[in-house]
Amino acid sequence: MTETTTPKRGVSLWVQIVIWAFIAALLVLVGVILNKRQQGTVQPGDQIPDFTLPLFSGYEYEGQSEVKLSDFRGKLVVLNFWASWCKPCEQEAAELEEAWKMYEDSGKVVFLGADYVDTEPEARAYLKKFGITYYNGPDMGTRISQLFRIRGVPETYFIDPDGVLYYVKVGPFLSVDEITSIIEQKLP
Amino acid sequence: MMKLNLNKTLRAVFFASLLTVLFFTAATTVFAQDDMPTDDEVNAIAKQLYCPVCENTPLDVCPTEACRQWRELIRLQLSEGKTEEEIKQYFVDNYGARVLAEPPRTGLNWLVYILPPMFILAGAFILFRSFQAWTKPKAVETASSPSEEAGEASDKDPYIARLEEELKNRK
């Protein structure tokens, strides 16, 4: 009694391994990207990595045309994302300026405006319209907004003197008191 | 005499007004045609860009205020004599590469260009192999007679061969 086996032509084992490994890598990549997109904004308690914000002329910081977050170590930073085409941003513009004026001379708090996906002439007109004087500049290449994973504008991030995020405000502030009460949480 | 003078004055005023209207109309038309880029010229560039605010909407058809501002910026840059590439580069520098309708061929972006043709080729290969597998057995079936088939089967399967042999012995 003899058994005969028919030779079976198929894809070799190595080719199969390569194909499956490729598909698995692709799925992992898609998963990582989807996960990153659904993460939401950075969360309170996160150490904020250093970033550079170029500044509009007339809005420079001590003569510098750009600032780094690390330049403000030891100070509380209020980072506001806005745009001239954003109607809710207009609701809080005057309140932010008023709050800035309250802390400007103390030297303990810095307000930064990051202009998100905007055109400079309209941005300047907006700053002039609301009499904004704190440091402002364009979020070039949307790098800072991507770093914070913002979902829209306006959004405001409160970073403590050690560079750690401690509060996120999504949407416009309703009053100056709302802004100052968040700042006072971390002021010595 | 007085009436004649009045008519002359009225006629002169009429012609002067007509000439003024014609002059300004012509001047405006010349300005619009020569200096300011048309909507078509603006949209030719705008359709290659996507605003990050309104996802999946090309800039030329996006109705938002942000996109309107961007189109005006394109118009301004065209009127300053900038080329299409320079304008696109300006937008990439200011708003990031994701504003481009066609991603730049760098880094992971290559996957966008490589994967679809690869999947199509792989699909075609799998289909080809499947058709081959489906057609081969049929070709064997039609080519062989039932007796041959039985013979083949008995050659291959020792149990069938034994069964057939026993059946023959009984006869």
Side-chain angles (χ1 to χ4, degrees):
Chain A
M1 204 163 70
T2 53
E3 269 189 36
T4 53
T5 52
T6 49
K8 214 176 180 183
R9 270 191 68 216
V11 183
S12 76
L13 186 65
W14 277 110
V15 174
Q16 285 185 41
I17 289 170
V18 168
I19 289 171
W20 282 112
F22 180 74
I23 291 169
L26 201 66
L27 284 174
V28 168
L29 185 71
V30 170
V32 167
I33 291 169
L34 283 176
N35 187 41
K36 205 176 169 187
R37 284 198 175 180
Q38 290 174 351
Q39 260 180 333
T41 65
V42 285
Q43 293 298 307
D46 289 354
Q47 180 77 39
I48 301 299
D50 203 14
F51 60 81
T52 304
L53 176 71
L55 298 170
F56 289 131
S57 65
Y59 291 86
E60 293 95 344
Y61 171 72
E62 294 177 350
Q64 297 176 55
S65 59
E66 60 178 38
V67 285
K68 287 182 175 179
L69 178 65
S70 54
D71 294 341
F72 304 117
R73 199 47 57 88
K75 293 180 180 183
L76 193 148
V77 176
V78 179
L79 175 64
N80 174 247
F81 288 95
W82 64 278
S84 67
W85 43 262
C86 155
K87 287 294 166 191
C89 298
E90 295 183 0
Q91 291 173 30
E92 63 171 15
E95 279 77 8
L96 279 166
E97 176 61 21
E98 199 179 329
W100 163 239
K101 286 289 173 200
M102 289 169 69
Y103 293 102
E104 187 179 4
D105 294 333
S106 74
K108 293 177 182 172
V109 182
V110 173
F111 278 50
L112 287 178
D115 184 19
Y116 174 71
V117 189
D118 211 346
T119 48
E120 190 168 338
E122 279 79 8
R124 286 187 167 281
Y126 176 97
L127 292 171
K128 196 177 170 189
K129 181 181 173 186
F130 293 100
I132 291 167
T133 59
Y134 53 84
Y135 315 116
N136 253 289
D139 176 16
M140 292 293 281
T142 65
R143 280 187 284 273
I144 305 173
S145 48
Q146 285 185 57
L147 184 74
F148 282 79
R149 300 193 296 272
I150 72 166
R151 308 306 292 262
V153 280
E155 277 185 21
T156 309
Y157 294 81
F158 292 79
I159 303 162
D160 75 12
D162 298 321
V164 177
L165 181 74
Y166 75 93
Y167 193 88
V168 180
K169 171 71 180 176
V170 175
F173 292 105
L174 300 174
S175 66
V176 180
D177 287 345
E178 190 185 352
I179 303 169
T180 55
S181 65
I182 299 166
I183 292 172
E184 294 299 327
Q185 288 175 25
K186 288 284 175 177
L187 272 191
Chain B
M1 186 72 179
M2 185 77 168
K3 202 177 174 183
L4 197 70
N5 277 344
L6 192 70
N7 275 347
K8 270 187 177 175
T9 313
L10 278 173
R11 209 176 293 166
V13 167
F14 173 75
F15 278 114
S17 309
L18 191 69
L19 277 173
T20 310
V21 168
L22 281 173
F23 173 76
F24 278 110
T25 313
T28 312
T29 313
V30 167
F31 178 76
Q33 282 178 347
D34 285 353
D35 291 344
M36 290 308 287
T38 63
D39 284 348
D40 286 345
E41 287 169 326
V42 172
N43 286 336
I45 297 174
K47 72 180 177 189
Q48 299 174 51
L49 299 168
Y50 279 68
C51 162
V53 181
C54 12
E55 283 183 12
N56 302 325
T57 312
L59 191 59
D60 59 331
V61 292
C62 177
T64 64
E65 177 62 17
C67 292
R68 189 197 61 75
Q69 288 180 5
W70 278 29
R71 286 194 294 270
E72 287 312 307
L73 191 60
I74 293 172
R75 194 187 304 278
L76 180 72
Q77 295 195 343
L78 279 172
S79 70
E80 287 170 353
K82 288 191 177 168
T83 63
E84 187 177 307
E85 283 310 310
E86 283 172 338
I87 294 170
K88 280 161 69 178
Q89 191 55 48
Y90 170 86
F91 277 88
V92 170
D93 292 342
N94 279 272
Y95 311 112
R98 62 180 170 153
V99 299
L100 293 173
E102 196 178 302
R105 289 169 167 80
T106 51
L108 279 179
N109 288 341
W110 272 110
L111 289 177
V112 176
Y113 296 97
I114 292 170
L115 286 183
M118 264 180 68
F119 282 128
I120 289 169
L121 283 175
F125 177 72
I126 291 167
L127 266 178
F128 175 72
R129 290 299 298 263
S130 303
F131 281 131
Q132 266 191 332
W134 291 337
T135 49
K136 265 184 184 171
K138 274 187 182 173
V140 171
E141 268 175 36
T142 48
S144 59
S145 65
S147 58
E148 279 174 325
E149 235 175 73
E152 272 175 27
S154 59
D155 284 345
K156 285 172 192 170
D157 195 331
Y159 298 102
I160 291 172
R162 194 174 161 188
L163 182 72
E164 280 180 349
E165 204 176 313
E166 279 184 13
L167 281 169
K168 271 183 195 171
N169 290 340
R170 280 194 183 186
K171 282 175 189 174

